[in-house]
Amino acid sequence: MFRKQFTEVQDAWALAQAIVDTVREPLIVLDQDLRVVAASRSFYLKFKVNADDTQGKLLYDLGDGQWDIPKLRLLLGKIIPEQGAMEDYEVEHDFPSIGRRTMLLNARKVFYEKGSHSTILVGIEDVTDKRILKSKKDDLIRQKQVLLEELGHRVANSLQIIASIIMLKARAVESEETRRHLQDAHNRVISVAAVQKHLHGSITNGSIEMGPYLATLCAALAQSMIGDNQTISIKFSGSGGISTNRSAESIGLIVTELVINSLKHAFKQTTKDGVITVAYDVSGTDWQLAVSDNGCGKPDGVFAQPKTGLGTGVVKALAKQLDANVVTLSGALGTKVSVTHATFAAA
């Protein structure tokens, strides 16, 4: 049908030129000797040249040699003859009229049924502005990372200072009850500092490997909260998995609260070989955190501490944010607190 409609050479040429002119991106048509057969209006406008100085001219002679680009010579002289086509071939060049541009070249060799001649279509996409925006975006991301690093250090230092002040106050007060409350506050500040430090060091593209993160956190909690005269250890076990930054932070705070609770209530001064185990396992979108100890459990089943304790409220609030349920089992062999997030497919 197409051949019947355009049997006249003049009609076929008019159609071809109309197609070339309609293309929004600059397009040039070269003969087998790399002379310009036709060019789109967008080419003339983009590179500020006119048809009289372009058509019939060797490509490398256009604009006093501004198209004599080594990478373009490689594309047209070697790659296209060997491969017949090329997509997104990136070229950077300084043009006298429009400055330095970054272009993606798409080229294709066209063969005809009659005759041995051929032509080359070269499409030109100017991606200069895109590259500039990407570079600015990358710079902003780097600046943000530097600011986050600085903020993380400042927060950690501030928390350490606050913890030191609280401990000094705890040593100075005469009331045993006040001293105990200040020591609790000190432990929580230290735990938050530990969470922030190790969370910050584990972040990669907004996701965190929970195994290494919780293992490191457990080690930090053991170092900062277990006295030299205590034979208590904190261990991590489980399959780990990947979590988001926000969820990992909440889970880390839950772990610290439950570890603090076990250290305060589960073990006696004479306890030997006390163990607190932190386990985290994942199955699809479901996960379970379990903190257990081999201390002296309590029958009330609420984290082995009073129901109105601060730790109880913190754990429940964080679990609610994670859309998770909290279950406590406490007995003569110790206490286990499970925080479970489970999703159920519709029946």
Side-chain angles (χ1 to χ4, degrees):
M1 180 65 71
F2 181 86
R3 292 182 178 180
K4 291 181 180 179
Q5 289 180 337
F6 301 102
T7 53
E8 295 294 333
V9 174
Q10 187 174 359
D11 291 341
W13 174 254
L15 174 64
Q17 186 63 51
I19 292 174
V20 169
D21 287 337
T22 304
V23 177
R24 295 182 61 182
E25 296 294 341
L27 174 69
I28 52 177
V29 182
L30 306 175
D31 65 15
Q32 56 191 3
D33 296 322
L34 302 184
R35 294 184 179 277
V36 179
V37 177
S40 64
R41 284 183 293 180
S42 54
F43 176 85
Y44 295 129
L45 293 173
K46 181 69 180 179
F47 296 101
K48 298 182 179 180
V49 293
N50 57 60
D52 293 337
D53 295 330
T54 302
Q55 291 187 5
K57 302 293 180 65
L58 186 66
L59 175 65
Y60 303 132
D61 292 339
L62 296 182
D64 295 327
Q66 64 178 1
W67 284 94
D68 192 0
I69 306 170
K71 290 192 72 174
L72 183 59
R73 279 186 175 272
L74 175 64
L75 173 68
L76 298 177
K78 180 175 178 61
I79 297 177
I80 292 301
E82 292 180 358
Q83 300 183 12
M86 176 58 64
E87 294 184 358
D88 294 337
Y89 187 78
E90 186 167 317
V91 173
E92 288 189 18
H93 188 65
D94 281 312
F95 291 92
S97 56
I98 60 174
R100 188 167 188 82
R101 314 305 294 177
T102 301
M103 302 172 291
L104 294 181
L105 303 183
N106 296 291
R108 185 171 300 275
K109 196 169 187 178
V110 181
F111 296 92
Y112 299 95
E113 292 182 5
K114 295 182 179 180
S116 60
H117 71 286
S118 62
T119 56
I120 300 175
L121 303 180
V122 181
I124 305 165
E125 181 184 1
D126 187 350
V127 295
T128 307
D129 293 339
K130 291 181 180 179
R131 292 290 188 268
I132 292 174
L133 288 175
K134 185 179 183 302
S135 177
K136 289 181 178 179
K137 180 181 177 181
D138 292 341
D139 288 341
L140 288 173
I141 291 174
R142 284 192 290 270
Q143 292 175 18
K144 181 181 178 181
Q145 289 174 339
V146 171
L147 290 174
L148 286 174
E149 290 278 353
E150 179 64 23
L151 180 61
H153 288 307
R154 292 192 179 188
V155 169
N157 291 338
S158 297
L159 289 172
Q160 292 290 343
I161 292 171
I162 293 170
S164 298
I165 293 173
I166 293 174
M167 184 54 68
L168 288 174
K169 292 293 183 181
R171 292 170 180 170
V173 298
E174 296 181 359
S175 169
E176 186 61 32
E177 182 180 0
T178 302
R179 182 179 296 109
R180 187 168 60 252
H181 288 313
L182 287 172
Q183 288 174 342
D184 285 347
H186 170 267
N187 288 341
R188 284 185 168 81
V189 172
I190 289 296
S191 72
V192 171
V195 170
Q196 289 295 109
K197 176 183 177 181
H198 297 290
L199 182 69
H200 182 75
S202 303
I203 295 175
T204 306
N205 296 326
S207 62
I208 295 174
E209 292 188 15
M210 294 299 291
Y213 165 57
L214 291 177
T216 305
L217 179 58
C218 288
L221 293 174
Q223 184 178 10
S224 63
M225 295 186 181
I226 297 177
D228 294 335
N229 60 338
Q230 292 179 293
T231 57
I232 301 172
S233 61
I234 305 174
K235 300 179 179 180
F236 172 77
S237 67
S239 59
I242 303 295
S243 181
T244 63
N245 177 13
R246 179 172 296 182
S247 294
E249 184 174 17
S250 297
I251 291 170
L253 290 173
I254 290 175
V255 168
T256 56
E257 285 297 333
L258 294 177
V259 168
I260 289 173
N261 176 72
S262 290
L263 291 173
K264 286 174 58 178
H265 300 284
F267 305 106
K268 299 177 181 179
Q269 292 294 330
T270 57
T271 296
K272 293 183 179 180
D273 298 324
V275 178
I276 300 172
T277 302
V278 177
Y280 184 82
D281 293 288
V282 176
S283 178
T285 58
D286 301 337
W287 56 262
Q288 182 179 71
L289 169 72
V291 179
S292 58
D293 61 63
N294 62 349
C296 52
K298 288 192 176 183
D300 58 20
V302 184
F303 313 152
Q305 70 178 45
K307 293 184 179 181
T308 57
L310 176 61
T312 305
V314 171
V315 170
K316 286 184 175 179
L318 291 170
K320 185 177 181 180
Q321 290 179 1
L322 294 167
D323 194 23
N325 295 319
V326 181
V327 176
T328 303
L329 297 175
S330 186
L333 299 179
T335 300
K336 178 179 180 180
V337 181
S338 300
V339 182
T340 306
H341 171 81
T343 56
F344 301 93

